[in-house]
Amino acid sequence: MIRINENYTKLKASYLFADIARRVNAFQQASPDKKVIRLGIGDVTEPLPEAVVAAFHQGVDEMASAGTFRGYGPEQGYDFLRELIAKEDFQSRGADIAGDEIFVSDGAKCDTGNIQELFAGDTRIAIPDPVYPVYVDTNVMAGRTGANVDGRYEGLVYLDGTMENGFIPALPQEPVDLIYLCYPNNPTGATITKAQLKAWVDYARENKALILFDAAYEAFIRDPELPRSIYEIEGAREVAIEFRSLSKTAGFTGTRLAFTVVPKTCMAYDSQGNAHSLHAMWNRRHTTKFNGVSYPVQKAAAAVYSPEGKAQAKALVDHYLNNAAIIRKEMTALGYDCVGGENSPYVWIDGKMGSWEFFDMLLTKAAVVCTPGAGFGTCGEGYIRISAFNSLANVQEAMERLRSVLK
Ligand code: MLT
């Protein structure tokens, strides 16, 4: 008899954004005349930068000709892209990362979900709350938790984010081995300073712990004092893996390209206390389970780092940041306390009522989709997240609708 992985029965029936999509579809079917404005899932709406499109076409043309056709590429990504990423995203900011420490992939969601395979079943895991649900659910699937009791899984160490601590949780009070951090934060839009991030790096070094640092939204940082990579912090090379993505940086949600940085100095330990290279382990996993991102997509990704590509990608991010500023200004004017929206595409709003109640109200009265904070954890209850990923016209119209419903 084929048996299931019973850890799956501990999960909520559906993934947060699938749940929201179902509710929105039901509303749209019941009210087909209403134009729904989606400020829920963080999915980009604007086209790829021109330089990227040109390189993408060129990549396809090369695949169409016998002389330039390519089959399987290196699983870790082509050197032309890895070297460019290392130079432009890290070395240019004083972060000591080499091209062969970059693993190109098809998404930060997949990488942040898959990385847990490298760690022991009894790893003590610290999870911020609220949090991107992928970090939690993939550990539940792997059997690292007990049951879900009142919205929290037994066996995880939750790090509370609140308005009072600015959604930068305090260091854990009990020993942990693996720490998930995401800054600029999804869902709260909060950012972390170098001094705050250094405290986490120091903690990890003192406790032989590892930080999984999700920096998928780093391109939204405009404050020059804020770190864009954890490797800007001294000592992070030994204790941190960083996840990046072109999804929000250059409009790649539908094109798919991300990368994970695993420094060669990053170690984890076996039951005898012997150190093992996480770079070697991730390389083993990657080469076993992944055959690389397609050549035209990697070629398109490299164009993001060209002078024109950089300017165009920055303009794209500026567009969403402008939307975020409008959302934050409007919600603040309506009397709501907000976090984020300044160096982040997400505005996190204290809704002063239940998250799903607020979500339903916005959907049914304004036909505007947001994301209920409770979907990101118990500390998210009472909050909603509004995403800046849409056209300016849609954001302006959504804010007009919200004004008439909420004032
Ligand atoms: C979100 O809305 O939180 C993001 O789109 C999720 C993701 O990037 O997978």
Side-chain angles (χ1 to χ4, degrees), residues 17 40-42 109 132 186 217 248 346 385:
F17 291 105
I41 191 166
K109 180 181 186 177
Y132 181 43
N186 180 16
Y217 298 92
K248 321 290 158 88
Y346 297 127
R385 189 193 76 176

Side-chain angles (χ1 to χ4, degrees), residues 81-387:
L81 180 58
R82 299 171 87 197
E83 294 297 333
L84 209 47
I85 291 170
K87 179 165 160 267
E88 296 290 337
D89 279 342
F90 297 98
Q91 293 159 12
S92 71
R93 302 190 60 81
D96 174 23
I97 294 296
D100 62 359
E101 295 177 314
I102 311 276
F103 291 83
V104 174
S105 79
D106 62 346
K109 180 181 186 177
C110 324
D111 285 356
T112 55
N114 290 329
I115 194 84
Q116 48 74 31
E117 284 181 25
L118 303 193
F119 309 112
D122 59 357
T123 299
R124 297 166 299 184
I125 301 169
I127 291 273
D129 180 358
V131 76
Y132 181 43
V134 172
Y135 315 154
V136 177
D137 288 3
T138 52
N139 277 293
V140 175
M141 290 169 178
R144 287 197 190 83
T145 73
N148 189 320
V149 180
D150 298 329
R152 286 190 159 184
Y153 287 97
E154 289 171 337
L156 294 181
V157 174
Y158 285 92
L159 308 170
D160 288 358
T162 61
M163 268 297 180
E164 289 66 44
N165 65 22
F167 293 93
I168 311 285
L171 296 173
Q173 295 303 302
E174 53 195 291
V176 298
D177 311 305
L178 188 64
I179 301 154
Y180 286 84
L181 294 179
C182 171
Y183 290 101
N185 188 256
N186 180 16
T188 66
T191 50
I192 196 163
T193 65
K194 283 187 182 158
Q196 288 167 326
L197 193 51
K198 182 169 186 309
W200 285 99
V201 170
D202 290 347
Y203 173 93
R205 289 171 68 86
E206 278 155 29
N207 294 279
K208 288 191 166 170
L210 183 79
I211 298 171
L212 299 178
F213 190 71
D214 185 347
Y217 298 92
E218 59 77 32
F220 291 80
I221 294 176
R222 289 289 177 268
D223 180 342
E225 295 302 314
L226 294 173
R228 292 175 73 150
S229 164
I230 196 166
Y231 304 116
E232 290 175 43
I233 310 298
E234 201 190 331
R237 270 187 62 86
E238 279 78 50
V239 292
I241 290 176
E242 181 165 305
F243 304 90
R244 292 278 190 105
S245 167
L246 294 190
S247 282
K248 321 290 158 88
T249 307
F252 271 58
T253 54
T255 307
R256 311 306 305 150
L257 191 129
F259 55 92
T260 289
V261 187
V262 191
K264 290 188 175 159
T265 41
C266 211
M267 297 291 152
Y269 304 87
D270 63 25
S271 52
Q272 308 302 309
N274 302 311
H276 293 258
S277 156
L278 286 170
H279 182 278
M281 287 178 72
W282 186 244
N283 190 55
R284 185 70 174 83
R285 188 222 171 261
H286 207 67
T287 49
T288 304
K289 295 195 174 184
F290 189 61
N291 257 339
V293 172
S294 80
Y295 172 70
V297 171
Q298 292 195 56
K299 179 113 181 148
V304 172
Y305 296 94
S306 67
E308 313 77 56
K310 275 192 220 172
Q312 291 162 8
K314 180 173 179 295
L316 209 52
V317 171
D318 281 344
H319 159 84
Y320 296 122
L321 278 171
N322 182 51
N323 287 348
I326 292 171
I327 295 165
R328 187 180 166 120
K329 186 163 166 246
E330 287 289 346
M331 295 308 289
T332 305
L334 286 165
Y336 292 91
D337 289 332
C338 301
V339 177
E342 282 170 330
N343 292 282
S344 154
Y346 297 127
V347 185
W348 182 250
I349 298 152
D350 182 351
K352 300 185 276 196
M353 65 172 84
S355 294
W356 281 103
E357 200 187 334
F358 202 108
F359 169 89
D360 282 334
M361 179 179 73
L362 289 195
L363 182 60
T364 54
K365 298 209 171 128
V368 170
V369 182
C370 67
T371 308
F376 298 104
T378 55
C379 289
E381 179 54 272
Y383 292 87
I384 57 153
R385 189 193 76 176
I386 300 187
S387 142

